[in-house]
Amino acid sequence: GWWQGASYSLNGTTRTGMAAGMFRLKATDSKGKITDFLAFCLEPLEWLTLPKTHTVGSPLSASVLDRLGALMSNAFSQVTGSASAAAFQMAAWEIANESSSSLDLSNGAFKMTSAQVSTQGLAQGWLNNIASGSWTSNGRVTILSAPGTQDLLTNIAPVPVPAAGIMLLGGLAGLGALRRRRRAA
């Protein structure tokens, strides 16, 4: 569980006490081979609802996909714990949901309203590198999409579509355990 508590707003809708971080998921291919992979959600106001059939692709614009690719290409290797996983999640939310060309976690359609200062600072630094052109994409980014649930950003090649529902069950189990732990606290 690499995550931290965070609060944010998107187009005036606020969420408080949410988890920002990454999912550890399991994919099962058509031959039964199980692969662990990591993913980040892209829709901060949407709940992860399973089972759903995810497909590869996204309605996001080419410039948003390029920025997500730059984040994945340069920051993913720096995700080594809760703070960096939460920073990556915050940066991905900003890129995927900001309606202006600016990448600023404290202004615009998407705003972080509460998070650990050092984590938010790390995320903003990464966003500044993308906005300045210091970081570019190597094109290795995959987005898994499904209506009525979270779209997911990952850096691995996707599994075949029939296995997508099975793949996300591991994430649901982990998310349920996380929510039970947070409610018990």
Side-chain angles (χ1 to χ4, degrees), residues 44-93:
L45 301 181
E46 187 93 38
W47 296 108
L48 182 61
T49 305
L50 297 174
K52 293 274 187 177
T53 300
H54 281 69
T55 58
V56 177
S58 172
L60 298 172
S61 71
S63 63
V64 169
L65 292 173
D66 187 58
R67 286 177 163 184
L68 287 170
L71 179 67
M72 186 65 79
S73 300
N74 296 279
F76 186 75
S77 63
Q78 297 179 43
V79 176
T80 58
S82 295
S84 52
F88 192 101
Q89 179 66 84
M90 290 174 197
W93 281 334

Side-chain angles (χ1 to χ4, degrees), residues 1-6 18-26 36-42 48 71-72 75-93 119 126 150-155 168 170-176 178 181:
W2 285 354
W3 62 275
Q4 289 182 350
M18 304 304 292
M22 74 180 164
F23 295 98
R24 177 175 298 278
L25 303 172
K26 290 188 181 290
D36 290 327
F37 72 98
L38 304 172
F40 298 85
C41 64
L42 294 175
L48 182 61
L71 179 67
M72 186 65 79
F76 186 75
S77 63
Q78 297 179 43
V79 176
T80 58
S82 295
S84 52
F88 192 101
Q89 179 66 84
M90 290 174 197
W93 281 334
T119 301
W126 291 345
Q150 278 288 338
D151 288 351
L152 301 170
L153 169 66
T154 185
N155 71 333
L168 293 176
L172 181 61
L175 192 59
L178 174 67
R181 184 181 322 149

Side-chain angles (χ1 to χ4, degrees), residues 96-138:
N97 295 285
E98 188 51 61
S99 56
S100 72
S101 61
S102 173
L103 295 176
D104 185 344
L105 288 169
S106 52
N107 290 308
F110 178 80
K111 294 179 219 163
M112 293 303 304
T113 56
S114 175
Q116 290 189 17
V117 173
S118 60
T119 301
Q120 190 167 335
L122 180 59
Q124 188 61 59
W126 291 345
L127 291 168
N128 293 345
N129 287 336
I130 294 167
S132 72
S134 297
W135 282 5
T136 58
S137 175
N138 68 9

